[in-house]
Amino acid sequence: MGWSYGGPTRSALQFENLARQVAHVLPSGLWRTARVLFDRVKRADGPFEIAPWDAHRIGVALLAAATHPKMPADWGRFARDVAAAADAAAGAGTPWRWS
């Protein structure tokens, strides 16, 4: 299944692989925040929304992962795209829609 999140549509497998990369570079507190998203993507069987405040927190965690020196560049770009979509929803005060 492909996921549209406000950025390029990506497969569930791509998000699973991104989760591995993010888990590798983030400290445990930030990983727990980001993991909320990855768990939701893994378990969802259809569209879902994330509240603006949670989207903001996830965006901060993903941006930290994207800019970490040990994050491979291609995964960093992907994490940055997802973080930007999260921040756009949070900044607009609207739910972050996934479909």
Side-chain angles (χ1 to χ4, degrees):
M1 174 178 197
W3 286 105
S4 176
Y5 59 91
T9 299
R10 302 288 189 136
S11 72
L13 180 60
Q14 287 174 305
F15 278 100
E16 186 178 321
N17 290 330
L18 178 61
R20 285 189 190 106
Q21 296 294 328
V22 170
H24 179 70
V25 299
L26 286 183
S28 62
L30 284 176
W31 167 240
R32 281 192 298 275
T33 299
R35 186 176 177 177
V36 169
L37 170 65
F38 296 116
D39 286 349
R40 192 90 185 261
V41 167
K42 185 176 181 178
R43 293 186 182 125
D45 60 356
F48 63 91
E49 294 181 346
I50 296 175
W53 174 246
D54 290 333
H56 170 74
R57 292 176 54 234
I58 291 167
V60 167
L62 291 176
L63 188 57
T67 58
H68 192 282
K70 291 187 178 181
M71 177 64 88
D74 53 342
W75 292 109
R77 283 188 294 276
F78 183 8
R80 211 173 273 112
D81 286 346
V82 179
D87 286 341
T94 59
W96 187 18
R97 292 180 175 85
W98 285 69
S99 58

